[in-house]
CSV table of all heavy atoms in Angstrom, one decimal:
chain,number,residue,atom,x,y,z
D,1203,GLN,N,-4.9,-6.0,-8.3
D,1203,GLN,CA,-3.6,-5.2,-8.5
D,1203,GLN,C,-3.9,-3.8,-8.2
D,1203,GLN,O,-4.5,-2.9,-8.9
D,1203,GLN,CB,-3.2,-5.2,-9.9
D,1203,GLN,CG,-2.7,-6.7,-10.3
D,1203,GLN,CD,-2.0,-6.7,-11.7
D,1203,GLN,OE1,-2.1,-5.8,-12.4
D,1203,GLN,NE2,-1.2,-7.8,-11.9
D,1204,VAL,N,-3.5,-3.4,-6.9
D,1204,VAL,CA,-3.9,-2.1,-6.3
D,1204,VAL,C,-2.8,-1.1,-6.6
D,1204,VAL,O,-1.7,-1.3,-6.5
D,1204,VAL,CB,-4.0,-2.3,-4.8
D,1204,VAL,CG1,-4.6,-1.1,-4.1
D,1204,VAL,CG2,-5.0,-3.4,-4.5
D,1205,GLY,N,-3.3,0.1,-7.0
D,1205,GLY,CA,-2.4,1.2,-7.1
D,1205,GLY,C,-3.0,2.6,-6.7
D,1205,GLY,O,-4.2,2.6,-6.4
D,1206,PHE,N,-2.3,3.6,-6.6
D,1206,PHE,CA,-2.7,4.9,-6.3
D,1206,PHE,C,-3.5,5.5,-7.5
D,1206,PHE,O,-3.3,5.3,-8.6
D,1206,PHE,CB,-1.5,5.9,-6.0
D,1206,PHE,CG,-0.8,5.5,-4.8
D,1206,PHE,CD1,0.4,4.8,-4.8
D,1206,PHE,CD2,-1.2,5.9,-3.6
D,1206,PHE,CE1,1.2,4.5,-3.8
D,1206,PHE,CE2,-0.6,5.5,-2.4
D,1206,PHE,CZ,0.6,4.8,-2.5
D,1207,GLU,N,-4.5,6.3,-7.1
D,1207,GLU,CA,-5.3,7.1,-8.0
D,1207,GLU,C,-4.7,8.4,-8.5
D,1207,GLU,O,-5.2,9.1,-9.3
D,1207,GLU,CB,-6.7,7.4,-7.6
D,1207,GLU,CG,-7.6,6.0,-7.2
D,1207,GLU,CD,-9.0,6.3,-6.8
D,1207,GLU,OE1,-9.6,7.1,-7.5
D,1207,GLU,OE2,-9.4,5.7,-5.9
D,1208,VAL,N,-3.5,8.7,-7.9
D,1208,VAL,CA,-2.7,10.0,-8.2
D,1208,VAL,C,-1.4,9.5,-8.3
D,1208,VAL,O,-1.0,8.4,-7.8
D,1208,VAL,CB,-3.0,11.1,-7.2
D,1208,VAL,CG1,-4.4,11.6,-7.3
D,1208,VAL,CG2,-2.6,10.6,-5.8
D,1209,GLY,N,-0.5,10.4,-9.0
D,1209,GLY,CA,0.9,10.0,-9.1
D,1209,GLY,C,1.7,10.7,-8.0
D,1209,GLY,O,1.2,11.8,-7.3
D,1210,GLY,N,2.9,10.3,-7.8
D,1210,GLY,CA,3.7,11.0,-6.9
D,1210,GLY,C,4.9,10.1,-6.4
D,1210,GLY,O,5.1,9.0,-6.9
D,1211,ARG,N,5.6,10.6,-5.4
D,1211,ARG,CA,6.8,9.9,-5.0
D,1211,ARG,C,6.4,8.9,-3.7
D,1211,ARG,O,5.8,9.5,-2.7
D,1211,ARG,CB,7.9,10.7,-4.5
D,1211,ARG,CG,9.2,10.0,-4.0
D,1211,ARG,CD,10.4,11.0,-3.7
D,1211,ARG,NE,10.7,11.7,-4.9
D,1211,ARG,CZ,11.5,11.3,-5.8
D,1211,ARG,NH1,12.1,10.3,-5.7
D,1211,ARG,NH2,11.8,12.2,-6.8
D,1212,LEU,N,6.7,7.7,-3.8
D,1212,LEU,CA,6.3,6.7,-2.8
D,1212,LEU,C,7.3,6.8,-1.6
D,1212,LEU,O,8.5,6.8,-1.7
D,1212,LEU,CB,6.4,5.3,-3.3
D,1212,LEU,CG,5.9,4.2,-2.4
D,1212,LEU,CD1,4.5,4.3,-2.2
D,1212,LEU,CD2,6.3,2.8,-3.0
D,1213,VAL,N,6.6,7.3,-0.4
D,1213,VAL,CA,7.5,7.5,0.8
D,1213,VAL,C,7.4,6.4,1.7
D,1213,VAL,O,8.3,6.2,2.5
D,1213,VAL,CB,6.9,8.8,1.5
D,1213,VAL,CG1,7.2,10.0,0.6
D,1213,VAL,CG2,5.5,8.7,1.9
D,1214,SER,N,6.4,5.4,1.6
D,1214,SER,CA,6.4,4.3,2.5
D,1214,SER,C,5.5,3.2,1.9
D,1214,SER,O,4.6,3.5,1.2
D,1214,SER,CB,5.8,4.6,3.8
D,1214,SER,OG,4.4,5.0,3.7
D,1215,ARG,N,5.9,2.0,2.2
D,1215,ARG,CA,5.2,0.7,1.8
D,1215,ARG,C,5.2,-0.1,3.0
D,1215,ARG,O,6.2,-0.6,3.5
D,1215,ARG,CB,5.8,0.0,0.6
D,1215,ARG,CG,4.8,-1.0,0.0
D,1215,ARG,CD,5.5,-1.9,-1.1
D,1215,ARG,NE,6.4,-2.9,-0.4
D,1215,ARG,CZ,7.6,-3.2,-0.8
D,1215,ARG,NH1,8.1,-2.6,-1.9
D,1215,ARG,NH2,8.3,-4.1,-0.2
D,1216,ASP,N,4.1,-0.4,3.6
D,1216,ASP,CA,3.9,-1.0,5.0
D,1216,ASP,C,3.7,-2.5,4.9
D,1216,ASP,O,3.8,-3.0,6.0
D,1216,ASP,CB,2.6,-0.4,5.6
D,1216,ASP,CG,2.7,1.1,5.8
D,1216,ASP,OD1,3.9,1.6,5.7
D,1216,ASP,OD2,1.6,1.7,6.1
D,1217,VAL,N,3.7,-3.1,3.7
D,1217,VAL,CA,3.6,-4.6,3.7
D,1217,VAL,C,4.5,-5.1,2.6
D,1217,VAL,O,4.9,-4.4,1.6
D,1217,VAL,CB,2.0,-5.0,3.3
D,1217,VAL,CG1,1.1,-4.6,4.5
D,1217,VAL,CG2,1.6,-4.3,2.0
D,1218,ASP,N,4.9,-6.3,2.8
D,1218,ASP,CA,5.6,-7.1,1.8
D,1218,ASP,C,4.9,-8.4,1.3
D,1218,ASP,O,3.8,-8.7,1.9
D,1218,ASP,CB,7.0,-7.5,2.4
D,1218,ASP,CG,7.9,-6.3,2.8
D,1218,ASP,OD1,8.0,-5.5,1.9
D,1218,ASP,OD2,8.4,-6.3,3.9
D,1219,ALA,N,5.5,-9.1,0.3
D,1219,ALA,CA,4.8,-10.2,-0.2
D,1219,ALA,C,4.7,-11.2,1.0
D,1219,ALA,O,5.6,-11.5,1.6
D,1219,ALA,CB,5.6,-10.8,-1.4
D,1220,GLY,N,3.5,-11.9,1.0
D,1220,GLY,CA,3.2,-12.8,2.0
D,1220,GLY,C,2.4,-12.3,3.1
D,1220,GLY,O,1.9,-13.1,4.1
D,1221,ALA,N,2.3,-11.1,3.3
D,1221,ALA,CA,1.5,-10.5,4.5
D,1221,ALA,C,0.0,-10.6,4.3
D,1221,ALA,O,-0.4,-10.5,3.2
D,1221,ALA,CB,2.0,-9.0,4.6
D,1222,THR,N,-0.6,-10.8,5.4
D,1222,THR,CA,-2.1,-10.8,5.5
D,1222,THR,C,-2.6,-9.4,5.8
D,1222,THR,O,-2.1,-8.9,6.7
D,1222,THR,CB,-2.5,-11.9,6.5
D,1222,THR,OG1,-2.0,-13.2,6.2
D,1222,THR,CG2,-4.0,-12.0,6.5
D,1223,VAL,N,-3.5,-9.0,5.0
D,1223,VAL,CA,-4.1,-7.6,5.2
D,1223,VAL,C,-5.6,-7.8,5.4
D,1223,VAL,O,-6.3,-8.7,5.0
D,1223,VAL,CB,-3.7,-6.7,4.0
D,1223,VAL,CG1,-2.2,-6.5,3.8
D,1223,VAL,CG2,-4.3,-7.3,2.7
D,1224,LYS,N,-6.1,-6.7,6.1
D,1224,LYS,CA,-7.6,-6.6,6.1
D,1224,LYS,C,-8.1,-5.4,5.5
D,1224,LYS,O,-7.4,-4.4,5.0
D,1224,LYS,CB,-7.8,-6.3,7.7
D,1224,LYS,CG,-7.4,-7.4,8.6
D,1224,LYS,CD,-8.2,-8.8,8.4
D,1224,LYS,CE,-7.9,-9.8,9.3
D,1224,LYS,NZ,-8.7,-11.0,9.1
D,1225,LYS,N,-9.4,-5.5,5.1
D,1225,LYS,CA,-10.1,-4.3,4.3
D,1225,LYS,C,-9.9,-3.0,5.0
D,1225,LYS,O,-10.1,-2.9,6.1
D,1225,LYS,CB,-11.4,-4.7,4.1
D,1225,LYS,CG,-12.2,-3.7,3.3
D,1225,LYS,CD,-13.6,-4.2,2.9
D,1225,LYS,CE,-14.3,-3.1,2.1
D,1225,LYS,NZ,-15.7,-3.5,1.7
D,1226,GLY,N,-9.4,-2.0,4.3
D,1226,GLY,CA,-9.2,-0.8,4.8
D,1226,GLY,C,-7.8,-0.5,5.4
D,1226,GLY,O,-7.5,0.7,5.8
D,1227,GLN,N,-7.0,-1.4,5.5
D,1227,GLN,CA,-5.7,-1.4,6.1
D,1227,GLN,C,-4.8,-0.5,5.2
D,1227,GLN,O,-4.8,-0.7,4.0
D,1227,GLN,CB,-5.1,-2.7,6.4
D,1227,GLN,CG,-3.7,-2.7,7.0
D,1227,GLN,CD,-3.2,-4.1,7.2
D,1227,GLN,OE1,-3.9,-5.0,7.3
D,1227,GLN,NE2,-1.8,-4.2,7.2
D,1228,LYS,N,-4.0,0.4,5.8
D,1228,LYS,CA,-3.1,1.2,5.0
D,1228,LYS,C,-1.8,0.3,4.4
D,1228,LYS,O,-1.2,-0.5,5.2
D,1228,LYS,CB,-2.5,2.3,5.8
D,1228,LYS,CG,-1.5,3.1,5.1
D,1228,LYS,CD,-0.8,4.2,6.1
D,1228,LYS,CE,0.3,5.0,5.3
D,1228,LYS,NZ,0.9,5.9,6.3
D,1229,LEU,N,-1.7,0.4,3.2
D,1229,LEU,CA,-0.6,-0.4,2.5
D,1229,LEU,C,0.6,0.4,2.1
D,1229,LEU,O,1.7,-0.1,2.3
D,1229,LEU,CB,-1.2,-1.0,1.2
D,1229,LEU,CG,-2.4,-1.8,1.4
D,1229,LEU,CD1,-3.0,-2.3,0.0
D,1229,LEU,CD2,-2.2,-3.1,2.3
D,1230,ALA,N,0.4,1.6,1.7
D,1230,ALA,CA,1.5,2.5,1.3
D,1230,ALA,C,1.1,3.9,1.3
D,1230,ALA,O,-0.2,4.3,1.4
D,1230,ALA,CB,2.1,2.1,-0.1
D,1231,ALA,N,2.1,4.9,1.1
D,1231,ALA,CA,1.7,6.3,1.0
D,1231,ALA,C,2.6,7.0,0.2
D,1231,ALA,O,3.8,6.7,-0.1
D,1231,ALA,CB,1.7,6.9,2.5
């Protein structure tokens, strides 16, 4: 269960449920 180590306003989420991801890939910002 991945989350940010700091708080703030989420401006983007690059993946949705069912997506295949690779290690180091950007997920959100």
Side-chain angles (χ1 to χ4, degrees):
Q1203 294 188 341
V1204 186
F1206 292 98
E1207 296 186 45
V1208 294
R1211 185 176 298 279
L1212 188 66
V1213 295
S1214 68
R1215 196 190 70 219
D1216 301 340
V1217 294
D1218 293 314
T1222 301
V1223 297
K1224 298 293 184 181
K1225 183 177 181 179
Q1227 178 181 338
K1228 179 184 174 183
L1229 304 176

